């Protein structure tokens, strides 16, 4: 097994798949319900993109830097938290309800966005919903994604504490390499009797000269 661990498996992460859906829905929502010259259009799309892309970049960075991986995962989480605020602002200024646990459709929506049916058909579904429904659907997805990213960060932190960072692992590998080769060299010296050989006359003279008292000129 090589020193470098496998990285870049972000596409199999459930949270990455959720953020892909968030991006697709947000792109549709922003262009459908916001004016083209509204800065919020670009802001929401970029926040959704950042949530998705930083998961991917963090996963790739894990090959050589656990710290970078955690930093980018946290950026993804922060981006989705910004997107949550944008969706809530949209609903609030238009006097549309934000679906909480007391809303009659909240639990059904929360359960539906976790299904395989939703994953396969969200593109056609969002075209049948109005702005209130899409915004609340995306809020539900964003809340689920930020929860998963928080858990992912905790897992990455635990792994960092347990295994150390890339530089620390590299140092350990180097120390192990040197110790192994020193052990082999010592074994080789013992086997050829070099450690048991008598010192030569020149080496004795050298040792005695090193131990002699310094001259007055020294």
């Amino acid at each position: 097994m090589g020193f470098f661990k496998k990285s870049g498996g972000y596409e199999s992460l459930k949270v990455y798949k959720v953020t892909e859906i968030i991006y697709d829905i947000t792109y549709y929502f922003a262009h459908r319900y916001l004016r083209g010259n509204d800065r919020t259009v670009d802001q929401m799309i970029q926040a959704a993109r950042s949530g998705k892309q930083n998961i991917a970049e963090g996963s790739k960075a894990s090959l050589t830097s656990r710290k970078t991986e955690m930093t980018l995962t946290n950026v993804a989480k922060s981006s989705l938290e910004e997107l949550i605020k944008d969706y809530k602002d949209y609903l609030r200024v238009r006097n549309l309800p934000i679906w909480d646990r007391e809303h009659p459709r909240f639990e059904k929506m929360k359960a539906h966005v976790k299904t395989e049916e939703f994953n396969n058909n969200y593109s056609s579904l969002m075209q049948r919903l109005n702005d209130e429904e899409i915004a609340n659907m995306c809020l539900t997805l964003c809340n689920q994604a930020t929860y998963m990213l928080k858990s992912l960060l905790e897992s990455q932190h635990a792994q960092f504490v347990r295994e150390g960072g890339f530089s620390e692992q590299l140092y350990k590998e180097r120390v192990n390499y040197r110790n192994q080769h020193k052990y082999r060299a010592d074994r080789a010296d013992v086997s050829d009797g070099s450690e048991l050989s008598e010192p030569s006359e020149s080496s004795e003279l050298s040792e005695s000269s090193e131990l002699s008292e310094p001259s007055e000129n020294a």
Side-chain angles (χ1 to χ4, degrees):
M1 185 177 178
F3 174 73
F4 291 102
K5 295 179 174 61
K6 186 178 179 181
S7 69
Y10 60 90
E11 290 179 328
S12 63
L13 292 173
K14 183 177 180 181
V15 66
Y16 180 77
K17 294 177 181 178
V18 173
T19 56
E20 272 192 322
I21 295 172
I22 291 170
Y23 176 80
D24 292 350
I25 294 174
T26 299
Y27 188 91
Y28 171 83
F29 179 88
H31 286 102
R32 174 72 176 80
Y33 293 106
L34 296 171
R35 295 189 192 126
N37 60 351
D38 189 338
R39 291 176 59 188
T40 311
V41 173
D42 184 61
Q43 183 176 304
M44 292 181 73
I45 291 172
Q46 288 305 315
R49 182 182 183 279
S50 176
K52 176 173 69 75
Q53 292 300 109
N54 279 291
I55 294 172
E57 294 303 319
S59 180
K60 292 175 183 177
S62 67
L63 182 68
T64 56
S65 177
R66 289 290 181 190
K67 184 178 179 181
T68 301
E69 178 188 28
M70 287 187 288
T71 298
L72 292 174
T73 302
N74 192 53
V75 171
K77 179 175 170 289
S78 298
S79 296
L80 293 179
E81 288 169 345
E82 288 181 14
L83 186 59
I84 287 172
K85 292 176 183 176
D86 287 331
Y87 274 115
K88 285 184 175 180
D89 286 344
Y90 177 93
L91 293 168
R92 190 186 66 255
V93 299
R94 290 164 178 79
N95 293 315
L96 295 171
I98 296 172
W99 298 0
D100 57 17
R101 294 185 181 278
E102 303 303 317
H103 193 280
R105 297 180 65 185
F106 175 79
E107 291 298 336
K108 187 176 180 180
M109 173 71 78
K110 182 180 176 182
H112 182 63
V113 298
K114 294 179 180 179
T115 64
E116 196 63 31
E117 179 188 353
F118 174 78
N119 292 340
N120 295 331
N121 301 306
Y122 68 87
S123 294
S124 59
L125 172 64
M126 65 186 179
Q127 295 176 34
R128 302 195 304 270
L129 302 178
N130 59 35
D131 55 344
E132 176 192 334
E133 292 168 326
I134 295 175
N136 278 289
M137 181 171 66
C138 230
L139 280 173
T140 301
L141 288 165
C142 286
N143 284 323
Q144 290 178 356
T146 54
Y147 177 83
M148 286 187 278
L149 286 170
K150 184 175 181 291
S151 297
L152 182 60
L153 270 171
E154 290 171 352
S155 174
Q156 291 169 351
H157 177 263
Q159 187 173 17
F160 179 80
V161 171
R162 185 172 62 252
E163 299 177 3
F166 178 75
S167 298
E168 187 178 347
Q169 292 177 23
L170 201 61
Y171 174 76
K172 288 177 182 177
E173 288 284 323
R174 178 60 181 160
V175 169
N176 289 338
Y177 176 85
R178 291 176 65 182
N179 288 340
Q180 288 173 9
H181 282 70
K182 183 178 183 300
Y183 174 76
R184 289 172 186 168
D186 290 345
R187 289 290 299 273
D189 287 344
V190 171
S191 64
D192 65 16
S194 59
E195 287 189 352
L196 302 176
S197 60
E198 301 214 353
S200 65
E201 206 173 302
S202 60
S203 65
E204 288 180 350
L205 289 173
S206 174
E207 282 187 22
S208 63
S209 63
E210 287 180 0
L211 297 172
S212 62
E213 293 186 7
S215 64
E216 292 184 5
N217 295 328

